[in-house]
Amino acid sequence: MKPVLEARNIRKKFIDPVEVEILRGLDLSVMPGEFVSIMGKSGCGKSTLLYVLSTMDTQYEGELYLAGQALQGEKPNELDRIRNQHIGFVFQFHYLLPEFSVLKNVMLPALKLGLKSAEEIEHDAMEKLRLLDVQEQALKRATQISGGQKQRVAIARALINNPDIIMGDEPTGNLDSKNAQRVFDIFREITSEQKQSLLIVTHDQDFAAKTDRIIEMADGSIVSS
Amino acid sequence: MALFNQLLLGIAKTHLLARKKQSAIAALGVTFGIGVFIIMVSFMTGLNGLLDGLILNRTPHVRIYNEVKQSERQPIEDLATYKDMAHIIHSIKPKNSQLKLRNGLAIRAELRKDKRVKGITPQVSTRIFYQAGAVQLNGNLAGMDVLEEARLFNFQQYIVGGKPEDLASNENAIVLGAGVAKNLSLQVGDYVQIVSINGSRERLKIVGLFQSGLADIDKVFSYCNIGTAQRLSGEGGDYFTDLHLKLHDIEAAAGMAEELRNSWGVNAIDIKTANAQFETGTSIRNMITYAVSFALLIVAGFGIYNILNMLIYEKMPDIAILKATGFSSGDVQRIFLYQAMMIGFVGAAIGLAFGFLASYGISQAPFETEALPTIKTFPVNFDPKFYIIGIIFALITTFLAGFMPSRKAGKIDPVDILRGQ
Ligand SMILES: Nc1ncnc2c1ncn2[C@@H]1O[C@H](COP(=O)(O)OP(=O)(O)OP(=O)(O)O)[C@@H](O)[C@H]1O
Ligand SMILES: [Mg+2]
């Protein structure tokens, strides 16, 4: 089986004010349906790595492949399209658009993709909200629901285009243990049923322990995986 | 693609509706700018049109006349003896030339055949005195072909209390300057005693009053048939002092005047040259209109620029997540540009409606003036062209105002924002 995501010799430097190498030649791959977590001390470069892998950050050296397609050096618009269709992202903060309803927030990436009709997209979005058990909130404004609900809506949004891989930067970081457990269960369900992959940065030892594989980072390098 | 644009438009609309008050204030700026533009331009061009009507429709496009002046060529220049010498002549006096237009009949015959000419009327202008008891008032009497003059130069618009036809059919009639009539306490239907410079007298019946609105003219000028004027100056039927030309195309006037000067050696002045100051007035009024409207729109533009900048600052996280989920820089840029354009469009549409209503109100307001006896309300020009210019003007301004902030929004690096939170 071929990996969904493959990174080879990823390097990234910041010049602030002197040149510091934050990512020092990382190799990494994620298989379809695999649930991988990344751990490491604060400041070791986990978020930085995730931004590179998600194609949002293009200032790096090395090779990056998504489902076999080389991403390094791609045009920005093409990267936007790939990110839209193939990568889902969940952050520590929910980043829901406050003016829109919960449902519309989930629909937006699919509307942008534009492969389905608005009715189909709405139907899909309701499905995702149901999967995350927030379907009751669909018509509320994004500001009118609880923190845990917001995070689940954000996950529904990441799932709407059925991406190959979902990346998370401490997605449970702001949640209590009950809500964190719930998010974990959903993630588990996604990988086992949809064969989608997950790459989640976390500080939560218990959370990481339950994933398929833990990648340990230190000082911009992978120490174990 | 269509749905996609609609998506960005929908996002833009949602943003605006979420901030109704701010959006309304920004739109109000545009409304005000466009409204004032419409009111000013409608009123100013209405006024210009009126003045154009006053001057252009009533003034000959080319006037041919004889001017008393020195000969340009002095006899000494023709003497071979002094050919290569400098000529210094003191105190040159005007040649004793007649006021009569030389070759007048020939010029008239020639011009009648000219395709460019719409019409040509001769005039006999003569100095006279109005006699009232023992007093004699200076005056000027112009004899003319009344009906042609009415057809070509709207002579009837000057006449109060009478018709051109009354004059045309009566060789012993006069249309008296309104100022003269007032000074002599005369009315339509009365007779006036006219004394010519060579002493002959005539009693003429007043069939109308002439009112140009310029007191100095109305105090001096009167009009009669060409035959009457020729009789008063003691001349025959081939005597006239001016030829008035109306052309099909007013732009040809200057060239035509030049041509006439060269080929006939007469004085010919075209309407543009004669009324240069009038043209300046028109262009200055237009300039003021556009300058004021433009200034107002710039202010409105700054309002939009400001609001958009604030909005974008506030919306950084939203922009970051839109980009993270696959919206491109161009998409984000368009979302905000659309907002500026929507503000501009809505503001301008209301501004046009407001401008139309206000100018309609102005056009109904009474406006009466001595100078324009036929005008009763303010002149307003409802040319749809201005409404199109207005909306284009507004869209361009809002586009420019929205462009920089939108571009900034498009360039926001999502990683910077996501890291910051
Ligand atoms: N824009 C930047 N300019 C300079 N240095 C940066 C920049 N962004 C991050 N860094 C540095 O890169 C290093 C890695 O940052 P990163 O955010 O990837 O850490 P992290 O592993 O995600 O930490 P945490 O667990 O606290 O989120 C840090 O030392 C940070 O100071
Ligand atoms: Mg981090």
Side-chain angles (χ1 to χ4, degrees):
Chain A
M1 215 165 30
K2 281 219 206 117
V4 174
L5 181 75
E6 192 172 9
R8 281 191 215 137
N9 198 20
I10 299 290
R11 293 178 178 276
K12 179 163 177 73
K13 299 174 193 134
F14 281 116
I15 301 165
D16 180 43
V18 290
E19 198 174 277
V20 202
E21 197 168 45
I22 302 298
L23 301 179
R24 306 181 176 187
L26 283 106
D27 294 307
L28 167 154
S29 65
V30 180
M31 301 306 278
E34 197 179 14
F35 190 169
V36 182
S37 55
I38 302 177
M39 295 197 76
K41 282 217 291 289
S42 179
C44 71
K46 304 181 297 294
S47 297
T48 308
L49 173 64
L50 222 49
Y51 294 134
V52 168
L53 298 179
S54 73
T55 76
M56 273 191 277
D57 187 348
T58 50
Q59 306 297 309
Y60 62 91
E61 290 161 41
E63 294 163 49
L64 186 60
Y65 300 91
L66 187 73
Q69 185 187 353
L71 299 184
Q72 67 278 7
E74 261 301 350
K75 287 197 208 70
N77 278 357
E78 178 60 12
L79 291 179
D80 291 333
R81 201 193 58 74
I82 290 170
R83 194 160 63 243
N84 180 227
Q85 188 166 13
H86 299 293
I87 303 173
F89 216 118
V90 188
F91 304 89
Q92 186 171 358
F93 182 72
H94 57 79
Y95 290 110
L96 296 178
L97 304 182
E99 295 92 352
F100 293 85
S101 69
V102 163
L103 183 64
K104 192 74 193 259
N105 263 287
V106 177
M107 288 168 70
L108 277 176
L111 291 170
K112 164 65 193 168
L113 186 59
L115 291 181
K116 294 179 181 174
S117 74
E119 290 77 43
E120 286 175 287
I121 291 169
E122 189 175 323
H123 178 260
D124 287 0
M126 281 309 292
E127 282 296 299
K128 302 295 177 199
L129 287 173
R130 198 164 294 126
L131 181 69
L132 288 137
D133 198 24
V134 276
Q135 73 274 24
E136 248 91 82
Q137 319 298 326
L139 297 179
K140 285 192 188 165
R141 282 262 297 259
T143 44
Q144 293 167 332
I145 56 176
S146 78
Q149 289 170 331
K150 279 178 189 156
Q151 196 60 338
R152 277 181 279 155
V153 173
I155 295 168
R157 178 179 60 194
L159 296 177
I160 187 68
N161 285 337
N162 295 317
D164 300 335
I165 183 163
I166 294 134
M167 302 183 191
D169 194 354
E170 303 178 43
T172 57
N174 278 341
L175 300 179
D176 58 30
S177 56
K178 194 168 135 264
N179 268 308
Q181 178 59 43
R182 214 163 162 170
V183 167
F184 179 85
D185 292 343
I186 294 158
F187 282 164
R188 180 46 86 198
E189 201 177 319
I190 294 163
T191 47
S192 56
E193 286 177 15
Q194 315 278 332
K195 288 290 167 225
Q196 287 164 299
S197 309
L198 280 166
L199 184 60
I200 307 294
V201 170
T202 182
H203 283 285
D204 183 342
Q205 196 68 53
D206 299 337
F207 184 102
K210 291 182 281 184
T211 60
D212 300 342
R213 180 154 64 99
I214 300 175
I215 296 176
E216 270 282 339
M217 270 183 76
D219 257 351
S221 307
I222 291 173
V223 286
S224 76
S225 69
Chain B
M1 201 64 191
L3 169 80
F4 173 58
N5 273 339
Q6 243 173 35
L7 171 63
L8 299 183
L9 266 172
I11 297 175
K13 207 167 88 188
T14 310
H15 275 172
L16 286 182
L17 290 179
R19 287 163 195 73
K20 287 200 188 70
K21 212 159 136 192
Q22 278 181 27
S23 313
I25 289 170
L28 212 63
V30 181
T31 298
F32 193 64
I34 291 299
V36 168
F37 167 72
I38 289 294
I39 295 170
M40 281 186 64
V41 81
S42 308
F43 186 52
M44 288 286 193
T45 57
L47 213 56
N48 281 347
L50 184 81
L51 295 172
D52 278 358
L54 269 184
I55 306 242
L56 299 183
N57 295 338
R58 297 178 177 186
T59 314
H61 292 171
V62 180
R63 189 166 83 88
I64 306 169
Y65 62 103
N66 220 4
E67 202 169 41
V68 176
K69 61 176 181 191
Q70 310 95 318
S71 304
E72 277 171 20
R73 218 175 155 71
Q74 294 296 323
I76 193 170
E77 291 173 40
D78 296 331
L79 281 176
T81 331
Y82 304 110
K83 192 164 170 275
D84 295 324
M85 303 186 188
H87 310 137
I88 299 170
I89 314 170
H90 294 283
S91 274
I92 300 178
K93 298 288 184 296
K95 205 173 107 195
N96 181 21
S97 104
Q98 288 181 310
L99 282 169
K100 177 179 176 178
L101 190 61
R102 264 172 295 141
N103 301 323
L105 282 177
I107 298 176
R108 190 165 108 178
E110 179 88 9
L111 286 175
R112 276 203 171 134
K113 283 183 269 169
D114 198 312
K115 287 263 181 322
R116 291 169 293 177
V117 178
K118 186 174 172 193
I120 176 165
T121 65
Q123 280 212 0
V124 173
S125 177
T126 177
R127 304 227 358 224
I128 48 138
F129 302 100
Y130 303 102
Q131 178 93 41
V135 192
Q136 285 190 335
L137 293 180
N138 271 320
N140 206 315
L141 184 64
M144 58 192 191
D145 180 342
V146 180
L147 294 180
E148 272 297 276
E149 204 70 29
R151 178 175 79 87
L152 297 171
F153 306 116
N154 300 302
F155 180 63
Q156 74 283 1
Q157 287 181 1
Y158 295 99
I159 300 180
V160 288
K163 287 199 296 289
E165 289 79 11
D166 302 333
L167 184 59
S169 59
N170 190 343
E171 283 294 320
N172 291 310
I174 188 168
V175 169
L176 197 66
V180 182
K182 192 163 163 246
N183 288 348
L184 301 180
S185 311
L186 291 169
Q187 280 155 13
V188 176
D190 293 347
Y191 285 84
V192 62
Q193 182 91 241
I194 301 291
V195 185
S196 73
I197 17 179
N198 41 31
S200 62
R201 285 167 184 274
E202 291 253 358
R203 262 179 98 238
L204 298 177
K205 186 178 184 193
I206 302 169
V207 294
L209 296 182
F210 172 82
Q211 186 180 327
S212 70
L214 297 172
D216 282 344
I217 288 184
D218 297 344
K219 256 183 351 206
V220 176
F221 279 85
S222 293
Y223 294 86
C224 63
N225 278 308
I226 195 157
T228 316
Q230 284 164 345
R231 203 167 69 223
L232 263 166
S233 14
E235 298 280 351
D238 66 340
Y239 175 82
F240 36 84
T241 58
D242 297 70
L243 279 174
H244 289 179
L245 252 68
K246 179 135 183 168
L247 307 181
H248 290 292
D249 176 17
I250 190 172
E251 299 303 325
M256 186 109 192
E258 174 86 38
E259 226 173 86
L260 288 163
R261 279 194 294 270
N262 293 337
S263 51
W264 295 95
V266 291
N267 275 309
I269 187 161
D270 64 283
I271 188 167
K272 287 264 166 67
T273 314
N275 295 288
Q277 79 286 12
F278 166 73
E279 283 257 313
T280 314
T282 303
S283 59
I284 285 180
R285 271 191 295 275
N286 282 339
M287 224 163 72
I288 291 173
T289 303
Y290 281 91
V292 169
S293 314
F294 192 62
L296 286 170
L297 274 178
I298 286 179
V299 174
F302 271 111
I304 292 175
Y305 175 86
N306 232 359
I307 282 179
L308 222 55
N309 261 335
M310 266 164 51
L311 183 69
I312 288 165
Y313 186 75
E314 199 181 307
K315 289 267 151 245
M316 296 275 229
D318 298 36
I319 293 167
I321 195 65
L322 283 173
K323 286 192 156 187
T325 55
F327 285 79
S328 68
S329 293
D331 294 340
V332 171
Q333 186 174 344
R334 267 194 282 174
I335 287 174
F336 289 96
L337 199 53
Y338 285 164
Q339 295 188 37
M341 303 292 281
M342 279 182 197
I343 291 175
F345 188 78
V346 171
I350 299 173
L352 291 184
F354 166 69
F356 175 78
L357 289 179
S359 15
Y360 182 76
I362 291 173
S363 78
Q364 297 302 305
F367 170 68
E368 293 190 24
T369 159
E370 279 270 292
L372 310 160
T374 49
I375 302 292
K376 297 278 174 268
T377 55
F378 278 103
V380 173
N381 182 356
F382 289 102
D383 193 341
K385 185 176 79 188
F386 300 132
Y387 293 76
I388 295 168
I389 291 177
I391 201 135
I392 291 175
F393 224 34
L395 291 182
I396 290 176
T397 317
T398 46
F399 178 84
L400 292 179
F403 186 75
M404 295 294 284
S406 309
R407 215 167 63 134
K408 201 176 76 186
K411 282 191 174 159
I412 286 173
D413 184 351
V415 175
D416 287 345
I417 312 299
L418 298 170
R419 219 185 254 293
Q421 283 281 338

